[in-house]
Each structure stands twice: as C-alpha cells, then as structure tokens.
Amino acid sequence: KAAEFIQKAISDIGFTTQSQEFEQKSFTFNSAPQLIITSPIQENLPCQIMLGSDATDESGIKGELRYVGKQGVIGLLEWEKYAIEKEEGCPLGFILGRPDGEAMPQALSNDSNHLPHFVIGSESIELIERLRKSQESITCHGVFNATPVQTICSNLFVQIPGVSSERKIMLSSHYDGMYNTPGANDNG
C-alpha cells in the first residue's frame, strides 16, 4: 500500500506521522464503457466515465439526447452537459463533454445526480452539435457495466518541527490517480 510505504519512509528519517483512512466509492470494470449514437447516424463515440457515477446494467441505457447546459467539473471547469432521456424530463444518464481534448474522467461532484455519467471529448461534442443544428432527433445507447466497490484511501499528516515557535507554515500536496489518467498532474 502506497500510504504505508510513504509513512514508513518519513518515520525512518525521524518525523512524526499520522494517517487518516476513509472509504471512497469506486468500481471494477466488467467491460469498457461504450457510447453509441444510434440515430440519425450510427457512430461510436470514444468515452470514459465520471468517477462516482453509477453503472448501467449489461444492456445499458437508451434514449433521446437533450442538451442540458454547462456542468461545473472539479470546481474550475465548465463542460457541456447532455441528458439521455427515456422521455422528456426523465434522465437515464448524462454525457459531459470536455471541450479541449479527448475524453478524460474526473471526479463527479458530491452534489451531482449519480446516474451514469459518460465523458466525451471535443471531437464528439462537435459531431453532436452538428447533429443538433440539423434539427434531427438524436438517440444514443450507453453501456457502463461495472461492479461497485468501496476503496480505502489515506490522508497522511507529517509534522516537521521548525526553529520558531511563533510562526507556523503549512504545506500540502496530494498524489492521486483516476482510471486511464497519469495521476498527480495538478499537485503531485
């Protein structure tokens, strides 16, 4: 376990450490996620899954695509959001579009609806927007077959004594990774 390795290495050089463990919802993929436009054309869209999203059953979800608006992602970004609806106002799942690159999973915010959330990249957004402008109904089929699991995560606290008792400095960093990402690309 990475947290135990890091904690031992820091303790070995003489610093006091504390560990805090917590559970995080995760999943084990039974198959790769799939997102397919089924009409007015047939097109497989490269996709990923938002972490914290619910899975579909083996047959997936099928419905009409409707533009919802913008969705905040990790508190900094705004991505396009579409609903996959059985009937208007009854979403079965959502598609979030990353406007500046290929599909890349991110953590779903705690206040989001936890129906299945697929992620597509900029080329797929462009295709969907062209189809929307043609005024034709767009239907799609999404499959995210996975088994939910609870994962144990750790926070590690280290106190390094300074030379002044009047001032304190706090440093923080994190190391994390998400399915199909390099991990720790923002503060590792």
Side-chain angles (χ1 to χ4, degrees):
K1 208 168 138 182
E4 291 170 357
F5 174 80
I6 294 168
Q7 188 171 15
K8 182 179 180 329
I10 291 170
S11 295
D12 287 350
I13 58 175
F15 296 118
T16 304
T17 64
Q18 254 185 317
S19 180
Q20 173 193 49
E21 290 189 342
F22 58 96
E23 286 190 0
Q24 178 70 39
K25 178 182 174 182
S26 186
F27 40 76
T28 300
F29 285 84
N30 298 328
S31 60
Q34 296 179 340
L35 189 59
I36 304 162
I37 293 178
T38 54
S39 74
I41 62 170
Q42 187 107 28
E43 184 78 29
N44 288 322
L45 302 179
C47 70
Q48 296 293 335
I49 295 298
M50 291 294 280
L51 301 177
S53 166
D54 281 345
T56 68
D57 62 19
E58 290 179 15
S59 63
I61 57 175
K62 298 175 184 177
E64 192 166 331
L65 196 68
R66 182 178 60 82
Y67 182 72
V68 174
K70 301 282 188 181
Q71 164 89 31
V73 177
I74 63 170
L76 305 169
L77 308 170
E78 284 195 337
W79 288 4
E80 303 297 336
K81 184 174 185 177
Y82 306 88
I84 302 170
E85 296 182 331
K86 184 176 183 176
E87 54 190 60
E88 191 170 336
C90 296
L92 302 170
F94 295 97
I95 299 171
L96 296 174
R98 179 179 177 216
D100 60 351
E102 61 187 45
M104 184 171 74
Q106 294 293 326
L108 194 57
S109 66
N110 289 334
D111 60 346
S112 291
N113 181 318
H114 289 272
L115 292 170
H117 280 67
F118 297 86
V119 181
I120 59 174
S122 56
E123 289 182 13
S124 296
I125 295 170
E126 290 170 12
L127 172 62
I128 289 172
E129 289 305 311
R130 280 196 308 274
L131 293 173
R132 284 184 62 225
K133 286 179 182 160
S134 73
Q135 305 292 320
E136 292 190 66
S137 174
I138 304 169
T139 58
C140 63
H141 178 203
V143 180
F144 171 43
N145 185 6
T147 304
V149 295
Q150 288 296 112
T151 302
I152 302 296
C153 300
S154 298
N155 285 327
L156 185 61
F157 302 92
V158 181
Q159 189 168 28
I160 303 172
V163 294
S164 171
S165 61
E166 295 176 19
R167 296 177 55 188
K168 294 183 181 186
I169 298 173
M170 184 173 113
L171 302 174
S172 68
S173 182
H174 71 275
Y175 177 81
D176 60 9
M178 296 183 190
Y179 166 76
N180 203 31
T181 67
N185 64 356
D186 52 357
N187 181 22

